[in-house]
Short mmCIF file of all heavy atoms in Angstrom, two decimals:
data_model
loop_
_atom_site.label_atom_id
_atom_site.label_comp_id
_atom_site.label_asym_id
_atom_site.label_seq_id
_atom_site.Cartn_x
_atom_site.Cartn_y
_atom_site.Cartn_z
N LEU W 650 35.73 50.87 -132.83
CA LEU W 650 35.59 51.88 -133.86
C LEU W 650 34.31 51.61 -134.65
O LEU W 650 33.93 50.45 -134.85
CB LEU W 650 36.77 51.85 -134.83
CG LEU W 650 38.05 52.59 -134.42
CD1 LEU W 650 39.20 52.14 -135.31
CD2 LEU W 650 37.85 54.09 -134.54
N PHE W 651 33.67 52.67 -135.12
CA PHE W 651 32.48 52.52 -135.96
C PHE W 651 32.81 53.00 -137.38
O PHE W 651 33.54 53.98 -137.56
CB PHE W 651 31.32 53.33 -135.40
CG PHE W 651 30.84 52.84 -134.06
CD1 PHE W 651 31.25 53.49 -132.90
CD2 PHE W 651 30.03 51.73 -133.96
CE1 PHE W 651 30.83 53.03 -131.66
CE2 PHE W 651 29.61 51.26 -132.72
CZ PHE W 651 30.01 51.92 -131.57
N LEU W 652 32.26 52.31 -138.34
CA LEU W 652 32.44 52.66 -139.75
C LEU W 652 31.11 52.43 -140.44
O LEU W 652 30.58 51.32 -140.42
CB LEU W 652 33.54 51.78 -140.37
CG LEU W 652 33.82 51.92 -141.86
CD1 LEU W 652 34.28 53.34 -142.20
CD2 LEU W 652 34.88 50.90 -142.29
N ASP W 653 30.53 53.47 -141.02
CA ASP W 653 29.25 53.30 -141.71
C ASP W 653 29.43 52.47 -142.97
O ASP W 653 30.48 52.51 -143.62
CB ASP W 653 28.65 54.66 -142.07
CG ASP W 653 27.97 55.32 -140.87
OD1 ASP W 653 27.90 54.69 -139.80
OD2 ASP W 653 27.50 56.47 -141.01
N GLY W 654 28.40 51.74 -143.34
CA GLY W 654 28.49 50.78 -144.43
C GLY W 654 28.68 51.37 -145.80
O GLY W 654 28.94 50.63 -146.76
N ASP W 655 28.57 52.69 -145.95
CA ASP W 655 28.83 53.32 -147.23
C ASP W 655 30.00 54.30 -147.16
O ASP W 655 30.17 55.14 -148.05
CB ASP W 655 27.58 54.03 -147.77
CG ASP W 655 26.97 55.00 -146.79
OD1 ASP W 655 27.48 55.11 -145.65
OD2 ASP W 655 25.98 55.66 -147.14
N ASP W 656 30.81 54.19 -146.11
CA ASP W 656 32.03 54.98 -145.98
C ASP W 656 33.23 54.04 -146.05
O ASP W 656 33.07 52.82 -146.16
CB ASP W 656 32.06 55.76 -144.67
CG ASP W 656 30.95 56.81 -144.59
OD1 ASP W 656 30.44 57.21 -145.65
OD2 ASP W 656 30.59 57.21 -143.47
N PHE W 657 34.44 54.58 -145.94
CA PHE W 657 35.63 53.72 -145.95
C PHE W 657 36.81 54.47 -145.35
O PHE W 657 36.75 55.69 -145.14
CB PHE W 657 35.95 53.24 -147.37
CG PHE W 657 36.35 54.33 -148.33
CD1 PHE W 657 37.68 54.63 -148.57
CD2 PHE W 657 35.38 55.04 -149.02
CE1 PHE W 657 38.05 55.63 -149.47
CE2 PHE W 657 35.73 56.04 -149.93
CZ PHE W 657 37.07 56.34 -150.15
N TRP W 658 37.87 53.72 -145.07
CA TRP W 658 39.14 54.32 -144.63
C TRP W 658 40.05 54.42 -145.84
O TRP W 658 40.28 53.44 -146.55
CB TRP W 658 39.79 53.48 -143.56
CG TRP W 658 39.00 53.45 -142.28
CD1 TRP W 658 38.14 54.40 -141.82
CD2 TRP W 658 39.00 52.41 -141.30
NE1 TRP W 658 37.60 54.02 -140.61
CE2 TRP W 658 38.12 52.81 -140.27
CE3 TRP W 658 39.65 51.19 -141.19
CZ2 TRP W 658 37.88 52.02 -139.15
CZ3 TRP W 658 39.43 50.41 -140.07
CH2 TRP W 658 38.55 50.82 -139.07
N SER W 659 40.59 55.60 -146.10
CA SER W 659 41.33 55.85 -147.33
C SER W 659 42.81 55.52 -147.23
O SER W 659 43.53 55.61 -148.22
CB SER W 659 41.16 57.32 -147.75
OG SER W 659 41.68 58.19 -146.76
N ASP W 660 43.28 55.12 -146.05
CA ASP W 660 44.70 54.82 -145.87
C ASP W 660 44.83 53.48 -145.16
O ASP W 660 44.16 53.23 -144.15
CB ASP W 660 45.37 55.93 -145.06
CG ASP W 660 46.88 55.79 -145.03
OD1 ASP W 660 47.38 54.84 -144.38
OD2 ASP W 660 47.57 56.62 -145.64
N SER W 661 45.73 52.63 -145.66
CA SER W 661 45.88 51.29 -145.09
C SER W 661 46.59 51.30 -143.74
O SER W 661 46.70 50.25 -143.09
CB SER W 661 46.65 50.38 -146.07
OG SER W 661 47.95 50.90 -146.29
N HIS W 662 47.08 52.45 -143.31
CA HIS W 662 47.76 52.55 -142.02
C HIS W 662 46.92 53.26 -140.96
O HIS W 662 47.43 53.63 -139.90
CB HIS W 662 49.10 53.27 -142.18
CG HIS W 662 50.04 52.58 -143.12
ND1 HIS W 662 50.52 51.32 -142.89
CD2 HIS W 662 50.57 52.99 -144.31
CE1 HIS W 662 51.32 50.97 -143.89
NE2 HIS W 662 51.35 51.96 -144.76
N PHE W 663 45.64 53.44 -141.24
CA PHE W 663 44.78 54.17 -140.30
C PHE W 663 44.72 53.47 -138.94
O PHE W 663 44.91 54.11 -137.89
CB PHE W 663 43.37 54.33 -140.88
CG PHE W 663 42.40 54.95 -139.92
CD1 PHE W 663 42.56 56.26 -139.49
CD2 PHE W 663 41.32 54.22 -139.43
CE1 PHE W 663 41.67 56.83 -138.60
CE2 PHE W 663 40.42 54.79 -138.54
CZ PHE W 663 40.60 56.10 -138.13
N LEU W 664 44.45 52.18 -138.92
CA LEU W 664 44.39 51.46 -137.64
C LEU W 664 45.74 51.48 -136.93
O LEU W 664 45.79 51.51 -135.69
CB LEU W 664 43.94 50.01 -137.84
CG LEU W 664 42.45 49.75 -138.05
CD1 LEU W 664 42.19 48.25 -138.09
CD2 LEU W 664 41.62 50.39 -136.94
N LYS W 665 46.82 51.47 -137.69
CA LYS W 665 48.15 51.54 -137.08
C LYS W 665 48.33 52.87 -136.37
O LYS W 665 48.96 52.93 -135.30
CB LYS W 665 49.22 51.36 -138.16
CG LYS W 665 50.63 51.20 -137.61
CD LYS W 665 50.76 49.87 -136.86
CE LYS W 665 52.17 49.64 -136.38
NZ LYS W 665 52.29 48.40 -135.60
N GLN W 666 47.78 53.95 -136.93
CA GLN W 666 47.84 55.25 -136.27
C GLN W 666 47.11 55.20 -134.92
O GLN W 666 47.60 55.74 -133.93
CB GLN W 666 47.20 56.31 -137.15
CG GLN W 666 48.01 56.71 -138.36
CD GLN W 666 47.29 57.79 -139.16
OE1 GLN W 666 46.45 57.51 -140.00
NE2 GLN W 666 47.63 59.03 -138.89
N ILE W 667 45.95 54.58 -134.93
CA ILE W 667 45.18 54.45 -133.68
C ILE W 667 45.98 53.65 -132.65
O ILE W 667 46.12 54.04 -131.49
CB ILE W 667 43.83 53.77 -133.95
CG1 ILE W 667 42.96 54.63 -134.89
CG2 ILE W 667 43.10 53.50 -132.64
CD1 ILE W 667 42.46 55.91 -134.31
N ALA W 668 46.50 52.50 -133.09
CA ALA W 668 47.26 51.63 -132.18
C ALA W 668 48.51 52.33 -131.65
O ALA W 668 48.86 52.19 -130.48
CB ALA W 668 47.63 50.33 -132.89
N SER W 669 49.16 53.09 -132.51
CA SER W 669 50.37 53.81 -132.08
C SER W 669 50.04 54.86 -131.03
O SER W 669 50.81 55.07 -130.09
CB SER W 669 51.04 54.47 -133.29
OG SER W 669 51.50 53.50 -134.19
N GLU W 670 48.90 55.51 -131.18
CA GLU W 670 48.48 56.50 -130.19
C GLU W 670 48.30 55.85 -128.83
O GLU W 670 48.62 56.43 -127.79
CB GLU W 670 47.19 57.17 -130.65
CG GLU W 670 46.72 58.32 -129.78
CD GLU W 670 47.58 59.57 -129.94
OE1 GLU W 670 48.41 59.63 -130.86
OE2 GLU W 670 47.42 60.49 -129.10
N LEU W 671 47.80 54.62 -128.82
CA LEU W 671 47.56 53.92 -127.57
C LEU W 671 48.85 53.45 -126.90
O LEU W 671 48.86 53.15 -125.71
CB LEU W 671 46.63 52.73 -127.80
CG LEU W 671 45.20 53.10 -128.19
CD1 LEU W 671 44.40 51.86 -128.59
CD2 LEU W 671 44.49 53.84 -127.06
N THR W 672 49.93 53.36 -127.66
CA THR W 672 51.21 53.03 -127.04
C THR W 672 51.78 54.22 -126.28
O THR W 672 52.63 54.06 -125.40
CB THR W 672 52.24 52.56 -128.09
OG1 THR W 672 52.53 53.64 -128.99
CG2 THR W 672 51.71 51.38 -128.88
N ILE W 673 51.29 55.42 -126.60
CA ILE W 673 51.72 56.62 -125.89
C ILE W 673 50.96 56.76 -124.58
O ILE W 673 51.54 57.03 -123.53
CB ILE W 673 51.49 57.87 -126.78
CG1 ILE W 673 52.31 57.76 -128.07
CG2 ILE W 673 51.84 59.15 -126.01
CD1 ILE W 673 52.00 58.84 -129.08
N GLU W 674 49.65 56.55 -124.65
CA GLU W 674 48.81 56.64 -123.46
C GLU W 674 47.53 55.87 -123.69
O GLU W 674 46.89 56.00 -124.73
CB GLU W 674 48.47 58.10 -123.14
CG GLU W 674 47.65 58.27 -121.87
CD GLU W 674 47.29 59.71 -121.60
OE1 GLU W 674 47.64 60.58 -122.43
OE2 GLU W 674 46.66 59.97 -120.55
N LEU W 675 47.13 55.06 -122.70
CA LEU W 675 45.90 54.29 -122.80
C LEU W 675 44.72 55.17 -122.39
O LEU W 675 44.27 55.15 -121.25
CB LEU W 675 45.97 53.04 -121.91
CG LEU W 675 46.84 51.90 -122.42
CD1 LEU W 675 46.84 50.75 -121.41
CD2 LEU W 675 46.34 51.41 -123.77
N VAL W 676 44.22 55.92 -123.33
CA VAL W 676 43.12 56.84 -123.07
C VAL W 676 41.78 56.12 -123.27
O VAL W 676 41.71 55.04 -123.86
CB VAL W 676 43.20 58.07 -123.99
CG1 VAL W 676 44.43 58.89 -123.66
CG2 VAL W 676 43.21 57.66 -125.46
N ASP W 677 40.72 56.75 -122.81
CA ASP W 677 39.38 56.20 -123.00
C ASP W 677 38.84 56.47 -124.39
O ASP W 677 38.03 55.69 -124.91
CB ASP W 677 38.40 56.79 -121.97
CG ASP W 677 38.67 56.31 -120.56
OD1 ASP W 677 39.12 55.15 -120.41
OD2 ASP W 677 38.43 57.07 -119.61
N VAL W 678 39.25 57.58 -124.99
CA VAL W 678 38.71 58.00 -126.28
C VAL W 678 39.82 58.61 -127.14
O VAL W 678 40.62 59.40 -126.65
CB VAL W 678 37.58 59.06 -126.11
CG1 VAL W 678 36.96 59.40 -127.47
CG2 VAL W 678 36.51 58.58 -125.15
N ILE W 679 39.84 58.23 -128.41
CA ILE W 679 40.68 58.89 -129.40
C ILE W 679 39.75 59.52 -130.44
O ILE W 679 38.88 58.86 -130.99
CB ILE W 679 41.64 57.92 -130.10
CG1 ILE W 679 42.58 57.27 -129.09
CG2 ILE W 679 42.44 58.63 -131.18
CD1 ILE W 679 43.47 56.19 -129.68
N ILE W 680 39.95 60.80 -130.70
CA ILE W 680 39.12 61.53 -131.66
C ILE W 680 39.98 61.87 -132.88
O ILE W 680 41.15 62.23 -132.73
CB ILE W 680 38.56 62.82 -131.04
CG1 ILE W 680 37.86 62.51 -129.71
CG2 ILE W 680 37.58 63.51 -131.99
CD1 ILE W 680 37.48 63.75 -128.92
N PHE W 681 39.40 61.75 -134.07
CA PHE W 681 40.17 62.02 -135.28
C PHE W 681 39.29 62.76 -136.30
O PHE W 681 38.07 62.79 -136.19
CB PHE W 681 40.71 60.72 -135.90
CG PHE W 681 39.72 59.60 -135.98
CD1 PHE W 681 38.89 59.46 -137.10
CD2 PHE W 681 39.58 58.69 -134.94
CE1 PHE W 681 37.97 58.44 -137.18
CE2 PHE W 681 38.65 57.65 -135.00
CZ PHE W 681 37.85 57.53 -136.13
N GLY W 682 39.96 63.34 -137.29
CA GLY W 682 39.25 64.09 -138.32
C GLY W 682 38.68 63.17 -139.39
O GLY W 682 38.69 61.94 -139.27
N TYR W 683 38.22 63.76 -140.47
CA TYR W 683 37.65 62.98 -141.57
C TYR W 683 37.71 63.81 -142.84
O TYR W 683 38.05 65.00 -142.84
CB TYR W 683 36.21 62.57 -141.25
CG TYR W 683 35.26 63.71 -140.97
CD1 TYR W 683 34.50 64.29 -141.99
CD2 TYR W 683 35.12 64.20 -139.67
CE1 TYR W 683 33.64 65.34 -141.72
CE2 TYR W 683 34.25 65.25 -139.40
CZ TYR W 683 33.51 65.81 -140.43
OH TYR W 683 32.66 66.86 -140.16
N SER W 684 37.38 63.17 -143.95
CA SER W 684 37.30 63.84 -145.23
C SER W 684 36.01 63.43 -145.92
O SER W 684 35.39 62.42 -145.56
CB SER W 684 38.52 63.51 -146.10
OG SER W 684 38.65 62.11 -146.28
N TYR W 685 35.61 64.19 -146.91
CA TYR W 685 34.33 63.93 -147.57
C TYR W 685 34.34 64.50 -148.99
O TYR W 685 35.17 65.35 -149.33
CB TYR W 685 33.19 64.54 -146.76
CG TYR W 685 33.30 66.04 -146.55
CD1 TYR W 685 32.68 66.95 -147.41
CD2 TYR W 685 34.08 66.54 -145.50
CE1 TYR W 685 32.81 68.32 -147.21
CE2 TYR W 685 34.21 67.91 -145.31
CZ TYR W 685 33.57 68.79 -146.17
OH TYR W 685 33.72 70.15 -145.99
N TYR W 686 33.42 64.00 -149.78
CA TYR W 686 33.28 64.49 -151.15
C TYR W 686 32.32 65.67 -151.18
O TYR W 686 31.25 65.63 -150.57
CB TYR W 686 32.74 63.39 -152.06
CG TYR W 686 33.75 62.32 -152.38
CD1 TYR W 686 33.59 61.03 -151.90
CD2 TYR W 686 34.85 62.59 -153.19
CE1 TYR W 686 34.51 60.04 -152.19
CE2 TYR W 686 35.78 61.60 -153.48
CZ TYR W 686 35.59 60.33 -152.99
OH TYR W 686 36.51 59.35 -153.28
N TYR W 687 32.70 66.70 -151.90
CA TYR W 687 31.81 67.85 -152.08
C TYR W 687 32.11 68.47 -153.44
O TYR W 687 33.25 68.85 -153.72
CB TYR W 687 32.02 68.89 -150.98
CG TYR W 687 31.06 70.06 -151.05
CD1 TYR W 687 29.75 69.93 -150.60
CD2 TYR W 687 31.48 71.27 -151.58
CE1 TYR W 687 28.87 71.00 -150.67
CE2 TYR W 687 30.60 72.34 -151.64
CZ TYR W 687 29.30 72.20 -151.20
OH TYR W 687 28.44 73.26 -151.27
N ASP W 688 31.09 68.56 -154.30
CA ASP W 688 31.26 69.10 -155.66
C ASP W 688 32.40 68.39 -156.38
O ASP W 688 33.26 69.02 -157.02
CB ASP W 688 31.54 70.61 -155.62
CG ASP W 688 30.27 71.41 -155.29
OD1 ASP W 688 29.17 70.84 -155.40
OD2 ASP W 688 30.40 72.59 -154.95
N ASN W 689 32.41 67.05 -156.25
CA ASN W 689 33.39 66.21 -156.94
C ASN W 689 34.82 66.45 -156.48
O ASN W 689 35.78 66.11 -157.19
CB ASN W 689 33.30 66.41 -158.47
CG ASN W 689 31.97 65.96 -159.03
OD1 ASN W 689 31.45 64.91 -158.65
ND2 ASN W 689 31.40 66.75 -159.93
N GLU W 690 34.99 67.04 -155.32
CA GLU W 690 36.31 67.23 -154.74
C GLU W 690 36.35 66.61 -153.34
O GLU W 690 35.32 66.47 -152.68
CB GLU W 690 36.66 68.72 -154.63
CG GLU W 690 36.83 69.43 -155.95
CD GLU W 690 37.25 70.88 -155.77
OE1 GLU W 690 37.60 71.25 -154.63
OE2 GLU W 690 37.24 71.63 -156.76
#
């Protein structure tokens, strides 16, 4: 996984979600969404 040095993961269970997905199927790639700040929201 890549994480830019000025970003972060907002949930302490994020890696667990990734690992749980791999227990369903050992895929080559897992794609996920993201969130961002815009106009203080």
Side-chain angles (χ1 to χ4, degrees):
L650 277 165
F651 296 99
L652 176 61
D653 281 356
D655 54 357
D656 295 339
F657 65 96
W658 294 334
S659 62
D660 189 290
S661 62
H662 300 298
F663 175 65
L664 281 186
K665 189 67 177 178
Q666 287 181 275
I667 297 291
S669 295
E670 186 72 11
L671 293 172
T672 64
I673 299 172
E674 183 182 3
L675 285 178
V676 294
D677 290 328
V678 184
I679 299 174
I680 308 171
F681 46 89
Y683 58 91
S684 57
Y685 59 94
Y686 287 112
Y687 185 78
D688 286 344
N689 296 318
E690 294 183 10

